[in-house]
Amino acid sequence: MTLISRYRVTILLSLLGWGCLAIYAYKSSYVDDNGMLMESFGFIPLFWLFHYWHS
């Protein structure tokens, strides 16, 4: 049994987690005209969920 086939769920969850973190870093945060901070905060908990769920 190869290493990739043995740990495919772990690799998939880790890649999903790092993908969420990359999307969060790619999308910029800004302050709109009313003074509200606009950011994609939901990707941070998704990163922690996917990345540490397989540990």
Side-chain angles (χ1 to χ4, degrees), residues 14-52:
S14 183
L15 288 175
L16 283 172
W18 285 110
C20 288
L21 193 63
I23 291 171
Y24 176 75
Y26 178 73
K27 295 181 74 125
S28 61
S29 301
Y30 62 93
V31 178
D32 68 358
D33 294 335
N34 295 329
M36 292 287 294
L37 176 64
M38 305 303 285
E39 65 179 346
S40 302
F41 182 75
F43 287 112
I44 295 173
L46 283 175
F47 162 72
W48 287 107
L49 176 73
F50 286 134
H51 190 67
Y52 288 104

mmCIF file of all heavy atoms in Angstrom, residues 14-52:
data_model
loop_
_atom_site.group_PDB
_atom_site.id
_atom_site.type_symbol
_atom_site.label_atom_id
_atom_site.label_comp_id
_atom_site.label_asym_id
_atom_site.label_seq_id
_atom_site.Cartn_x
_atom_site.Cartn_y
_atom_site.Cartn_z
ATOM 1 N N SER A 14 -5.839 18.355 4.721
ATOM 2 C CA SER A 14 -4.761 19.317 4.875
ATOM 3 C C SER A 14 -4.722 20.291 3.702
ATOM 4 O O SER A 14 -4.554 21.502 3.891
ATOM 5 C CB SER A 14 -3.427 18.591 4.993
ATOM 6 O OG SER A 14 -2.387 19.502 5.207
ATOM 7 N N LEU A 15 -4.899 19.791 2.486
ATOM 8 C CA LEU A 15 -4.918 20.671 1.315
ATOM 9 C C LEU A 15 -6.121 21.606 1.337
ATOM 10 O O LEU A 15 -6.000 22.782 0.955
ATOM 11 C CB LEU A 15 -4.914 19.843 0.034
ATOM 12 C CG LEU A 15 -3.607 19.141 -0.303
ATOM 13 C CD1 LEU A 15 -3.767 18.264 -1.531
ATOM 14 C CD2 LEU A 15 -2.486 20.138 -0.492
ATOM 15 N N LEU A 16 -7.263 21.121 1.780
ATOM 16 C CA LEU A 16 -8.433 21.992 1.910
ATOM 17 C C LEU A 16 -8.181 23.095 2.934
ATOM 18 O O LEU A 16 -8.556 24.255 2.724
ATOM 19 C CB LEU A 16 -9.663 21.183 2.303
ATOM 20 C CG LEU A 16 -10.326 20.370 1.205
ATOM 21 C CD1 LEU A 16 -11.403 19.474 1.801
ATOM 22 C CD2 LEU A 16 -10.900 21.273 0.147
ATOM 23 N N GLY A 17 -7.542 22.744 4.032
ATOM 24 C CA GLY A 17 -7.224 23.733 5.052
ATOM 25 C C GLY A 17 -6.272 24.791 4.541
ATOM 26 O O GLY A 17 -6.498 25.987 4.719
ATOM 27 N N TRP A 18 -5.202 24.370 3.885
ATOM 28 C CA TRP A 18 -4.248 25.340 3.344
ATOM 29 C C TRP A 18 -4.871 26.156 2.223
ATOM 30 O O TRP A 18 -4.529 27.335 2.046
ATOM 31 C CB TRP A 18 -2.980 24.649 2.880
ATOM 32 C CG TRP A 18 -2.126 24.239 4.033
ATOM 33 C CD1 TRP A 18 -1.893 22.969 4.464
ATOM 34 C CD2 TRP A 18 -1.423 25.090 4.936
ATOM 35 N NE1 TRP A 18 -1.088 22.987 5.566
ATOM 36 C CE2 TRP A 18 -0.771 24.269 5.874
ATOM 37 C CE3 TRP A 18 -1.276 26.471 5.033
ATOM 38 C CZ2 TRP A 18 0.004 24.798 6.902
ATOM 39 C CZ3 TRP A 18 -0.497 26.980 6.052
ATOM 40 C CH2 TRP A 18 0.135 26.143 6.970
ATOM 41 N N GLY A 19 -5.800 25.575 1.477
ATOM 42 C CA GLY A 19 -6.518 26.326 0.453
ATOM 43 C C GLY A 19 -7.373 27.426 1.052
ATOM 44 O O GLY A 19 -7.426 28.541 0.530
ATOM 45 N N CYS A 20 -8.040 27.127 2.161
ATOM 46 C CA CYS A 20 -8.835 28.157 2.845
ATOM 47 C C CYS A 20 -7.946 29.291 3.339
ATOM 48 O O CYS A 20 -8.311 30.471 3.230
ATOM 49 C CB CYS A 20 -9.593 27.548 4.018
ATOM 50 S SG CYS A 20 -10.966 26.503 3.533
ATOM 51 N N LEU A 21 -6.791 28.958 3.874
ATOM 52 C CA LEU A 21 -5.877 29.991 4.342
ATOM 53 C C LEU A 21 -5.340 30.822 3.180
ATOM 54 O O LEU A 21 -5.202 32.043 3.299
ATOM 55 C CB LEU A 21 -4.728 29.355 5.125
ATOM 56 C CG LEU A 21 -3.867 30.313 5.931
ATOM 57 C CD1 LEU A 21 -4.687 31.001 7.016
ATOM 58 C CD2 LEU A 21 -2.703 29.570 6.533
ATOM 59 N N ALA A 22 -5.074 30.193 2.047
ATOM 60 C CA ALA A 22 -4.596 30.928 0.873
ATOM 61 C C ALA A 22 -5.672 31.860 0.333
ATOM 62 O O ALA A 22 -5.377 32.994 -0.068
ATOM 63 C CB ALA A 22 -4.148 29.940 -0.202
ATOM 64 N N ILE A 23 -6.930 31.403 0.322
ATOM 65 C CA ILE A 23 -8.021 32.267 -0.135
ATOM 66 C C ILE A 23 -8.178 33.461 0.789
ATOM 67 O O ILE A 23 -8.378 34.590 0.334
ATOM 68 C CB ILE A 23 -9.336 31.463 -0.239
ATOM 69 C CG1 ILE A 23 -9.255 30.461 -1.373
ATOM 70 C CG2 ILE A 23 -10.529 32.388 -0.436
ATOM 71 C CD1 ILE A 23 -10.407 29.480 -1.420
ATOM 72 N N TYR A 24 -8.076 33.240 2.092
ATOM 73 C CA TYR A 24 -8.170 34.348 3.046
ATOM 74 C C TYR A 24 -7.046 35.365 2.815
ATOM 75 O O TYR A 24 -7.274 36.572 2.858
ATOM 76 C CB TYR A 24 -8.120 33.839 4.481
ATOM 77 C CG TYR A 24 -8.109 34.954 5.494
ATOM 78 C CD1 TYR A 24 -9.270 35.665 5.771
ATOM 79 C CD2 TYR A 24 -6.948 35.318 6.150
ATOM 80 C CE1 TYR A 24 -9.272 36.708 6.678
ATOM 81 C CE2 TYR A 24 -6.937 36.350 7.053
ATOM 82 C CZ TYR A 24 -8.104 37.045 7.314
ATOM 83 O OH TYR A 24 -8.090 38.076 8.210
ATOM 84 N N ALA A 25 -5.843 34.879 2.563
ATOM 85 C CA ALA A 25 -4.717 35.787 2.335
ATOM 86 C C ALA A 25 -4.845 36.508 0.999
ATOM 87 O O ALA A 25 -4.425 37.659 0.868
ATOM 88 C CB ALA A 25 -3.403 35.014 2.393
ATOM 89 N N TYR A 26 -5.423 35.842 0.003
ATOM 90 C CA TYR A 26 -5.563 36.431 -1.331
ATOM 91 C C TYR A 26 -6.621 37.529 -1.361
ATOM 92 O O TYR A 26 -6.418 38.568 -1.981
ATOM 93 C CB TYR A 26 -5.906 35.339 -2.344
ATOM 94 C CG TYR A 26 -6.122 35.858 -3.739
ATOM 95 C CD1 TYR A 26 -5.046 36.276 -4.510
ATOM 96 C CD2 TYR A 26 -7.394 35.936 -4.282
ATOM 97 C CE1 TYR A 26 -5.235 36.753 -5.789
ATOM 98 C CE2 TYR A 26 -7.598 36.411 -5.559
ATOM 99 C CZ TYR A 26 -6.520 36.821 -6.305
ATOM 100 O OH TYR A 26 -6.709 37.295 -7.572
ATOM 101 N N LYS A 27 -7.729 37.276 -0.687
ATOM 102 C CA LYS A 27 -8.804 38.265 -0.671
ATOM 103 C C LYS A 27 -8.426 39.376 0.301
ATOM 104 O O LYS A 27 -8.065 39.130 1.437
ATOM 105 C CB LYS A 27 -10.124 37.630 -0.254
ATOM 106 C CG LYS A 27 -10.624 36.601 -1.248
ATOM 107 C CD LYS A 27 -11.926 36.033 -0.813
ATOM 108 C CE LYS A 27 -12.979 37.053 -1.037
ATOM 109 N NZ LYS A 27 -14.094 36.703 -1.823
ATOM 110 N N SER A 28 -8.514 40.594 -0.170
ATOM 111 C CA SER A 28 -8.078 41.702 0.668
ATOM 112 C C SER A 28 -9.199 42.167 1.596
ATOM 113 O O SER A 28 -10.381 42.052 1.277
ATOM 114 C CB SER A 28 -7.621 42.867 -0.198
ATOM 115 O OG SER A 28 -8.692 43.312 -1.008
ATOM 116 N N SER A 29 -8.820 42.661 2.738
ATOM 117 C CA SER A 29 -9.762 43.268 3.676
ATOM 118 C C SER A 29 -9.795 44.765 3.408
ATOM 119 O O SER A 29 -8.795 45.360 3.037
ATOM 120 C CB SER A 29 -9.316 43.024 5.111
ATOM 121 O OG SER A 29 -9.236 41.653 5.375
ATOM 122 N N TYR A 30 -10.958 45.348 3.601
ATOM 123 C CA TYR A 30 -11.079 46.784 3.381
ATOM 124 C C TYR A 30 -12.158 47.340 4.295
ATOM 125 O O TYR A 30 -12.964 46.614 4.847
ATOM 126 C CB TYR A 30 -11.395 47.102 1.919
ATOM 127 C CG TYR A 30 -12.710 46.539 1.430
ATOM 128 C CD1 TYR A 30 -13.876 47.305 1.476
ATOM 129 C CD2 TYR A 30 -12.793 45.251 0.925
ATOM 130 C CE1 TYR A 30 -15.085 46.785 1.039
ATOM 131 C CE2 TYR A 30 -13.991 44.732 0.490
ATOM 132 C CZ TYR A 30 -15.123 45.506 0.537
ATOM 133 O OH TYR A 30 -16.320 44.991 0.106
ATOM 134 N N VAL A 31 -12.142 48.651 4.445
ATOM 135 C CA VAL A 31 -13.140 49.354 5.231
ATOM 136 C C VAL A 31 -14.067 50.054 4.247
ATOM 137 O O VAL A 31 -13.614 50.834 3.406
ATOM 138 C CB VAL A 31 -12.484 50.371 6.185
ATOM 139 C CG1 VAL A 31 -13.531 51.135 6.958
ATOM 140 C CG2 VAL A 31 -11.525 49.664 7.125
ATOM 141 N N ASP A 32 -15.377 49.777 4.339
ATOM 142 C CA ASP A 32 -16.318 50.387 3.408
ATOM 143 C C ASP A 32 -16.634 51.829 3.814
ATOM 144 O O ASP A 32 -16.061 52.376 4.748
ATOM 145 C CB ASP A 32 -17.584 49.539 3.265
ATOM 146 C CG ASP A 32 -18.431 49.505 4.514
ATOM 147 O OD1 ASP A 32 -18.043 50.096 5.527
ATOM 148 O OD2 ASP A 32 -19.507 48.869 4.474
ATOM 149 N N ASP A 33 -17.534 52.452 3.084
ATOM 150 C CA ASP A 33 -17.848 53.870 3.312
ATOM 151 C C ASP A 33 -18.475 54.132 4.677
ATOM 152 O O ASP A 33 -18.365 55.235 5.210
ATOM 153 C CB ASP A 33 -18.795 54.381 2.217
ATOM 154 C CG ASP A 33 -18.120 54.382 0.860
ATOM 155 O OD1 ASP A 33 -16.874 54.453 0.829
ATOM 156 O OD2 ASP A 33 -18.838 54.308 -0.157
ATOM 157 N N ASN A 34 -19.146 53.133 5.250
ATOM 158 C CA ASN A 34 -19.788 53.298 6.558
ATOM 159 C C ASN A 34 -18.845 52.989 7.725
ATOM 160 O O ASN A 34 -19.258 53.041 8.875
ATOM 161 C CB ASN A 34 -21.017 52.401 6.658
ATOM 162 C CG ASN A 34 -22.088 52.801 5.684
ATOM 163 O OD1 ASN A 34 -22.217 53.973 5.343
ATOM 164 N ND2 ASN A 34 -22.846 51.832 5.207
ATOM 165 N N GLY A 35 -17.608 52.625 7.435
ATOM 166 C CA GLY A 35 -16.643 52.330 8.487
ATOM 167 C C GLY A 35 -16.646 50.883 8.939
ATOM 168 O O GLY A 35 -16.048 50.562 9.963
ATOM 169 N N MET A 36 -17.313 49.993 8.211
ATOM 170 C CA MET A 36 -17.345 48.566 8.564
ATOM 171 C C MET A 36 -16.172 47.847 7.907
ATOM 172 O O MET A 36 -15.876 48.070 6.736
ATOM 173 C CB MET A 36 -18.653 47.922 8.085
ATOM 174 C CG MET A 36 -19.880 48.410 8.808
ATOM 175 S SD MET A 36 -19.990 47.773 10.470
ATOM 176 C CE MET A 36 -20.211 46.060 10.164
ATOM 177 N N LEU A 37 -15.518 46.993 8.670
ATOM 178 C CA LEU A 37 -14.433 46.188 8.131
ATOM 179 C C LEU A 37 -15.029 45.023 7.354
ATOM 180 O O LEU A 37 -15.820 44.245 7.888
ATOM 181 C CB LEU A 37 -13.541 45.672 9.257
ATOM 182 C CG LEU A 37 -12.407 44.742 8.853
ATOM 183 C CD1 LEU A 37 -11.415 45.473 7.959
ATOM 184 C CD2 LEU A 37 -11.714 44.195 10.079
ATOM 185 N N MET A 38 -14.634 44.875 6.114
ATOM 186 C CA MET A 38 -15.124 43.799 5.258
ATOM 187 C C MET A 38 -13.967 42.830 5.014
ATOM 188 O O MET A 38 -12.946 43.215 4.440
ATOM 189 C CB MET A 38 -15.630 44.352 3.922
ATOM 190 C CG MET A 38 -16.681 45.440 4.079
ATOM 191 S SD MET A 38 -18.116 44.944 5.007
ATOM 192 C CE MET A 38 -18.936 43.928 3.831
ATOM 193 N N GLU A 39 -14.123 41.597 5.491
ATOM 194 C CA GLU A 39 -13.100 40.582 5.289
ATOM 195 C C GLU A 39 -13.758 39.212 5.247
ATOM 196 O O GLU A 39 -14.888 39.038 5.659
ATOM 197 C CB GLU A 39 -12.036 40.629 6.379
ATOM 198 C CG GLU A 39 -12.533 40.289 7.754
ATOM 199 C CD GLU A 39 -11.431 40.318 8.794
ATOM 200 O OE1 GLU A 39 -10.245 40.340 8.415
ATOM 201 O OE2 GLU A 39 -11.749 40.304 9.974
ATOM 202 N N SER A 40 -13.030 38.248 4.735
ATOM 203 C CA SER A 40 -13.528 36.873 4.631
ATOM 204 C C SER A 40 -13.083 36.092 5.853
ATOM 205 O O SER A 40 -12.264 35.175 5.769
ATOM 206 C CB SER A 40 -12.996 36.228 3.352
ATOM 207 O OG SER A 40 -13.387 36.964 2.235
ATOM 208 N N PHE A 41 -13.608 36.439 7.009
ATOM 209 C CA PHE A 41 -13.160 35.855 8.267
ATOM 210 C C PHE A 41 -13.491 34.368 8.371
ATOM 211 O O PHE A 41 -12.799 33.641 9.078
ATOM 212 C CB PHE A 41 -13.789 36.613 9.441
ATOM 213 C CG PHE A 41 -13.327 36.104 10.778
ATOM 214 C CD1 PHE A 41 -12.069 36.406 11.238
ATOM 215 C CD2 PHE A 41 -14.143 35.311 11.559
ATOM 216 C CE1 PHE A 41 -11.628 35.943 12.456
ATOM 217 C CE2 PHE A 41 -13.716 34.842 12.777
ATOM 218 C CZ PHE A 41 -12.459 35.158 13.234
ATOM 219 N N GLY A 42 -14.506 33.913 7.668
ATOM 220 C CA GLY A 42 -14.929 32.522 7.776
ATOM 221 C C GLY A 42 -13.890 31.517 7.325
ATOM 222 O O GLY A 42 -13.957 30.340 7.687
ATOM 223 N N PHE A 43 -12.907 31.939 6.528
ATOM 224 C CA PHE A 43 -11.882 31.009 6.073
ATOM 225 C C PHE A 43 -10.890 30.639 7.167
ATOM 226 O O PHE A 43 -10.250 29.594 7.089
ATOM 227 C CB PHE A 43 -11.138 31.583 4.870
ATOM 228 C CG PHE A 43 -11.957 31.569 3.613
ATOM 229 C CD1 PHE A 43 -12.391 32.734 3.033
ATOM 230 C CD2 PHE A 43 -12.308 30.375 3.018
ATOM 231 C CE1 PHE A 43 -13.141 32.731 1.887
ATOM 232 C CE2 PHE A 43 -13.067 30.348 1.871
ATOM 233 C CZ PHE A 43 -13.488 31.524 1.300
ATOM 234 N N ILE A 44 -10.735 31.465 8.190
ATOM 235 C CA ILE A 44 -9.803 31.144 9.274
ATOM 236 C C ILE A 44 -10.289 29.945 10.095
ATOM 237 O O ILE A 44 -9.527 28.992 10.303
ATOM 238 C CB ILE A 44 -9.545 32.373 10.156
ATOM 239 C CG1 ILE A 44 -8.843 33.453 9.352
ATOM 240 C CG2 ILE A 44 -8.712 32.005 11.378
ATOM 241 C CD1 ILE A 44 -8.701 34.762 10.077
ATOM 242 N N PRO A 45 -11.554 29.925 10.568
ATOM 243 C CA PRO A 45 -12.003 28.726 11.281
ATOM 244 C C PRO A 45 -12.060 27.489 10.393
ATOM 245 O O PRO A 45 -11.822 26.372 10.871
ATOM 246 C CB PRO A 45 -13.394 29.080 11.789
ATOM 247 C CG PRO A 45 -13.564 30.524 11.611
ATOM 248 C CD PRO A 45 -12.545 30.998 10.652
ATOM 249 N N LEU A 46 -12.352 27.670 9.101
ATOM 250 C CA LEU A 46 -12.337 26.522 8.196
ATOM 251 C C LEU A 46 -10.936 25.947 8.059
ATOM 252 O O LEU A 46 -10.759 24.731 7.977
ATOM 253 C CB LEU A 46 -12.879 26.917 6.820
ATOM 254 C CG LEU A 46 -14.375 27.051 6.710
ATOM 255 C CD1 LEU A 46 -14.759 27.570 5.327
ATOM 256 C CD2 LEU A 46 -15.059 25.732 6.979
ATOM 257 N N PHE A 47 -9.939 26.820 8.036
ATOM 258 C CA PHE A 47 -8.555 26.340 8.005
ATOM 259 C C PHE A 47 -8.264 25.472 9.219
ATOM 260 O O PHE A 47 -7.730 24.373 9.104
ATOM 261 C CB PHE A 47 -7.586 27.522 7.952
ATOM 262 C CG PHE A 47 -6.178 27.157 8.337
ATOM 263 C CD1 PHE A 47 -5.392 26.402 7.485
ATOM 264 C CD2 PHE A 47 -5.638 27.551 9.545
ATOM 265 C CE1 PHE A 47 -4.095 26.059 7.827
ATOM 266 C CE2 PHE A 47 -4.355 27.226 9.899
ATOM 267 C CZ PHE A 47 -3.579 26.473 9.040
ATOM 268 N N TRP A 48 -8.618 25.965 10.412
ATOM 269 C CA TRP A 48 -8.355 25.194 11.629
ATOM 270 C C TRP A 48 -9.157 23.903 11.644
ATOM 271 O O TRP A 48 -8.665 22.865 12.095
ATOM 272 C CB TRP A 48 -8.670 26.023 12.866
ATOM 273 C CG TRP A 48 -7.659 27.089 13.096
ATOM 274 C CD1 TRP A 48 -7.819 28.422 12.901
ATOM 275 C CD2 TRP A 48 -6.307 26.907 13.528
ATOM 276 N NE1 TRP A 48 -6.673 29.093 13.186
ATOM 277 C CE2 TRP A 48 -5.719 28.185 13.578
ATOM 278 C CE3 TRP A 48 -5.555 25.795 13.873
ATOM 279 C CZ2 TRP A 48 -4.401 28.373 13.958
ATOM 280 C CZ3 TRP A 48 -4.248 25.996 14.253
ATOM 281 C CH2 TRP A 48 -3.680 27.266 14.301
ATOM 282 N N LEU A 49 -10.375 23.941 11.157
ATOM 283 C CA LEU A 49 -11.204 22.734 11.127
ATOM 284 C C LEU A 49 -10.597 21.681 10.214
ATOM 285 O O LEU A 49 -10.419 20.525 10.619
ATOM 286 C CB LEU A 49 -12.625 23.089 10.659
ATOM 287 C CG LEU A 49 -13.570 21.907 10.502
ATOM 288 C CD1 LEU A 49 -13.980 21.401 11.864
ATOM 289 C CD2 LEU A 49 -14.778 22.321 9.690
ATOM 290 N N PHE A 50 -10.276 22.064 9.001
ATOM 291 C CA PHE A 50 -9.734 21.089 8.048
ATOM 292 C C PHE A 50 -8.321 20.656 8.408
ATOM 293 O O PHE A 50 -7.971 19.483 8.280
ATOM 294 C CB PHE A 50 -9.725 21.663 6.639
ATOM 295 C CG PHE A 50 -11.078 21.738 6.001
ATOM 296 C CD1 PHE A 50 -11.487 22.882 5.342
ATOM 297 C CD2 PHE A 50 -11.949 20.674 6.045
ATOM 298 C CE1 PHE A 50 -12.717 22.958 4.746
ATOM 299 C CE2 PHE A 50 -13.196 20.735 5.466
ATOM 300 C CZ PHE A 50 -13.575 21.882 4.810
ATOM 301 N N HIS A 51 -7.499 21.597 8.845
ATOM 302 C CA HIS A 51 -6.101 21.268 9.051
ATOM 303 C C HIS A 51 -5.878 20.429 10.304
ATOM 304 O O HIS A 51 -5.018 19.546 10.313
ATOM 305 C CB HIS A 51 -5.273 22.547 9.133
ATOM 306 C CG HIS A 51 -3.813 22.312 9.104
ATOM 307 N ND1 HIS A 51 -3.173 21.823 7.988
ATOM 308 C CD2 HIS A 51 -2.862 22.439 10.047
ATOM 309 C CE1 HIS A 51 -1.885 21.677 8.251
ATOM 310 N NE2 HIS A 51 -1.674 22.058 9.491
ATOM 311 N N TYR A 52 -6.652 20.669 11.347
ATOM 312 C CA TYR A 52 -6.416 19.937 12.586
ATOM 313 C C TYR A 52 -7.443 18.855 12.865
ATOM 314 O O TYR A 52 -7.366 18.185 13.870
ATOM 315 C CB TYR A 52 -6.333 20.914 13.758
ATOM 316 C CG TYR A 52 -5.039 21.685 13.695
ATOM 317 C CD1 TYR A 52 -5.023 23.004 13.273
ATOM 318 C CD2 TYR A 52 -3.841 21.072 14.010
ATOM 319 C CE1 TYR A 52 -3.835 23.695 13.189
ATOM 320 C CE2 TYR A 52 -2.651 21.749 13.927
ATOM 321 C CZ TYR A 52 -2.648 23.072 13.517
ATOM 322 O OH TYR A 52 -1.467 23.731 13.429
#
